[in-house]
Amino acid sequence: MPFHPTRRGFLAGAGAFAAAGLLPAFARTALAAPAGTFELVAESRVIDVDGKAATVFGVAGPGGRQGVVLEPGERFSAILRNRLGTATIVHWHGQTPPPEQDGVASTGYVSPILDGESATYDFAPRPGTHWMHSHQGLQEQRLLAAPLIVRTPDDAAMDAQEVVVMLHDFSFRDPEEILAGLTGMAAGGGMQGHDMQSGGMQGMDMPGMDHGSMNSGSMNHGSMDQGSMDHAGMAGMEGMGGSGAAGHAMPGMDHGAADLNDIRYDAFLANDRTLSDPEIVRVERNGKVRLRVINGATASNFWLDLGALTGTLIAVDGNEVVPLEASRFPLAMAQRLDIVVTVKDGAFPILAQLEGATARTGIVLATPGAAVPKVPGEAEKPVPAVDLSLEGRLRALYPLGDAAADIRHDVELGGSMMPFRWTMDGRVWSNRKMLPVRGGKRIVIGFTNPSPMSHPMHLHGHHFQVVEIDGRAVAGAVRDTVLVMPGGSVRVAFDADNPGRWLIHCHNLYHMVTGMMTEVVYEDA
């Protein structure tokens, strides 16, 4: 995933794409890509994970790179070809296209793209660091995700080398087996063939599943009081996945009522690689580097650690913020950080460490000739749970603007580990309570979270401003994904300017597919 051009020339080939594609959206054809349209291919690929071959999914863009970089003024005019051997659909996370081009089937505008078929898209992209990922079944866990970078003239004027870092959590196990371990359902015993987008898996009251009587396989979370939980004794839990210790919270850590890392992953990846063989990005001495960091993990939050470097945070979720300097930043699932660093001389690991654990991944920035040290995949000590310490300090560079709330919704995020079932206002997707809005109105949504886990809440088709954290008013960042802590609350505001039906859900994949999703619906659309 080498998005690392020098300051002298940023992916010159990307600028060859013309601006306007004129085919109708979602044409199901196998035609050649029209002039002015670039090609994306959803396909299987093989990566090396600590010396072991793994077959995963991906979205190959121009030149075979994972994902795409669009130059200033370039349209998102693409044909997406499905060569996975199974149906798929890809969501353009962070983009705000018309609803029929959002890349989801749940809202009823389109159907999944069958194997061998194609879909076309054409819209003006929203600038910033964004990404694309499957919204079909559990394909995102199989790494069907990639960067979607939209550059601006100001980006070029910054004269910085751009380095994209895509984070993933990885398991050699089939994602259905992971979910089966969490829910207590035998792997393959009724989940095969369920289409998350057509109401089978998405929101998950799956046929044959008795949530009231589930014993979560070998998992016995009881009341989920994690303050007294012995994580060392959880190694055999079916829902943890894998056989190594990678990813689980350390023994003796007191998280109060919070539950962390209930899936044991085999590895954590940065640009498809672990720290046993990290990507080494050569950078100029005394040069400026813009890190575009994307948390594409399905169930893992990280702390991004710059080590000896101090970074200036300039954007979150593709939206500019008042610059803020730090060397460590929390990063929840689906969120993005744009951080500028100046590299003098030497090698500098950029590390992402799993919350509540020692497991980590990352890349290394190195100036010419610098020796690159070996960086262990386990830190000396665990980091705490990702929190809102950064969120409370962020200020939007271009805030939403003062306006009274026209429509308010309050949503309770609920659920438990036994049964493994996550809800919005006590309901799953199949029995969802929709959130009605009207065009041109200021909408405020308040999330409260009495559940034992944090939830990164994502709204499709819009970006919102964080306006309240735990009852304290803030003029926070503009985002598309915000973390809501256990026992906490977050309030966000947005202008209803994109009519249609739009998903709003937890971006922990296993929370979403077991129920934590509903719709924002324009009543006047």
Side-chain angles (χ1 to χ4, degrees), residues 432-455:
R432 60 194 176 278
K433 177 184 176 182
M434 299 180 187
L435 306 181
V437 301
R438 296 187 68 83
K441 303 297 185 180
R442 173 67 56 87
I443 314 300
V444 173
I445 300 177
F447 299 103
T448 58
N449 181 15
S451 84
M453 295 195 77
S454 63
H455 300 292

Side-chain angles (χ1 to χ4, degrees), residues 16-50:
F17 305 132
L22 301 179
L23 289 184
F26 288 89
R28 297 293 196 259
T29 68
L31 298 176
T37 299
F38 59 90
E39 185 175 82
L40 298 169
V41 181
E43 60 187 358
S44 296
R45 57 199 178 98
V46 178
I47 63 173
D48 180 281
V49 180
D50 291 335

Side-chain angles (χ1 to χ4, degrees), residues 439-524:
K441 303 297 185 180
R442 173 67 56 87
I443 314 300
V444 173
I445 300 177
F447 299 103
T448 58
N449 181 15
S451 84
M453 295 195 77
S454 63
H455 300 292
M457 300 305 298
H458 171 52
L459 173 62
H460 288 223
H462 304 76
H463 285 240
F464 50 70
Q465 185 171 9
V466 178
V467 296
E468 184 181 294
I469 299 174
D470 293 334
R472 179 175 63 90
V474 296
V478 174
R479 287 189 172 278
D480 59 51
T481 307
V482 67
L483 189 67
V484 187
M485 300 295 293
S489 65
V490 173
R491 200 172 296 275
V492 302
F494 66 95
D495 290 327
D497 56 5
N498 197 0
R501 305 171 70 100
W502 298 98
L503 297 183
I504 182 168
H505 63 85
C506 178
H507 222 283
N508 182 314
L509 179 63
Y510 299 96
H511 294 183
M512 181 181 74
V513 300
T514 55
M516 193 172 276
M517 185 173 79
T518 188
E519 293 178 279
V520 167
V521 178
Y522 282 67
E523 294 181 310
D524 53 340

Side-chain angles (χ1 to χ4, degrees), residues 55-115:
T55 300
V56 298
F57 291 160
V59 185
R65 294 180 293 267
Q66 288 295 295
V68 68
V69 175
L70 300 182
E71 291 300 317
E74 190 175 355
R75 288 186 68 83
F76 189 94
S77 184
I79 182 167
L80 172 64
R81 304 190 187 280
N82 180 10
R83 297 175 183 166
L84 290 174
T86 186
T88 193
I89 199 163
V90 175
H91 167 54
W92 320 112
H93 189 120
Q95 293 301 315
T96 55
E100 66 273 10
Q101 299 207 37
D102 187 39
V104 299
S106 300
T107 47
Y109 291 96
V110 295
S111 300
I113 307 167
L114 300 180
D115 180 47

Side-chain angles (χ1 to χ4, degrees), residues 80-278:
L80 172 64
R81 304 190 187 280
N82 180 10
R83 297 175 183 166
L84 290 174
T86 186
T88 193
I89 199 163
V90 175
H91 167 54
W92 320 112
H93 189 120
Q95 293 301 315
T96 55
E100 66 273 10
Q101 299 207 37
D102 187 39
V104 299
S106 300
T107 47
Y109 291 96
V110 295
S111 300
I113 307 167
L114 300 180
D115 180 47
E117 294 192 350
S118 303
T120 60
Y121 304 83
D122 183 29
F123 57 87
R126 186 184 183 100
T129 299
H130 306 298
W131 61 305
M132 59 186 80
H133 61 83
S134 173
H135 235 284
Q136 176 80 7
L138 300 172
Q139 292 175 350
E140 187 184 333
Q141 180 68 88
R142 296 188 65 182
L143 275 55
L144 209 170
L148 198 177
I149 310 300
V150 182
R151 304 185 73 232
T152 69
D154 288 344
D155 296 341
M158 184 182 291
D159 193 29
Q161 180 174 343
E162 298 198 2
V163 177
V164 176
V165 183
M166 185 86 178
L167 303 173
H168 285 297
D169 42 25
F170 171 82
S171 176
F172 284 105
R173 302 176 78 190
D174 189 293
E176 291 187 2
E177 184 181 353
I178 296 174
L179 181 60
L182 291 167
T183 62
M185 179 179 176
M191 188 158 63
Q192 291 285 353
H194 280 283
D195 174 9
M196 183 174 86
Q197 299 301 324
S198 60
M201 191 189 304
Q202 184 85 287
M204 219 75 175
D205 268 344
M206 286 171 34
M209 293 182 67
D210 179 1
H211 289 288
S213 61
M214 275 183 199
N215 66 2
S216 295
S218 60
M219 298 172 68
N220 182 12
H221 289 270
S223 63
M224 294 309 295
D225 179 2
Q226 298 299 310
S228 60
M229 210 165 172
D230 180 6
H231 292 282
M234 296 172 70
M237 288 166 51
E238 184 66 20
M240 300 276 287
S243 57
H248 205 62
M250 301 302 291
M253 289 189 71
D254 182 1
H255 300 298
D259 175 45
L260 303 176
N261 307 321
D262 291 298
I263 298 169
R264 177 169 292 183
Y265 286 100
D266 292 301
F268 296 92
L269 309 178
N271 295 349
D272 291 340
R273 300 166 78 163
T274 69
L275 283 173
S276 66
D277 180 29

Side-chain angles (χ1 to χ4, degrees), residues 410 424-425 427-429 431-435 518-519:
D410 290 306
M424 298 180 70
D425 288 328
R427 304 185 186 197
V428 296
W429 170 256
N431 186 37
R432 60 194 176 278
K433 177 184 176 182
M434 299 180 187
L435 306 181
T518 188
E519 293 178 279

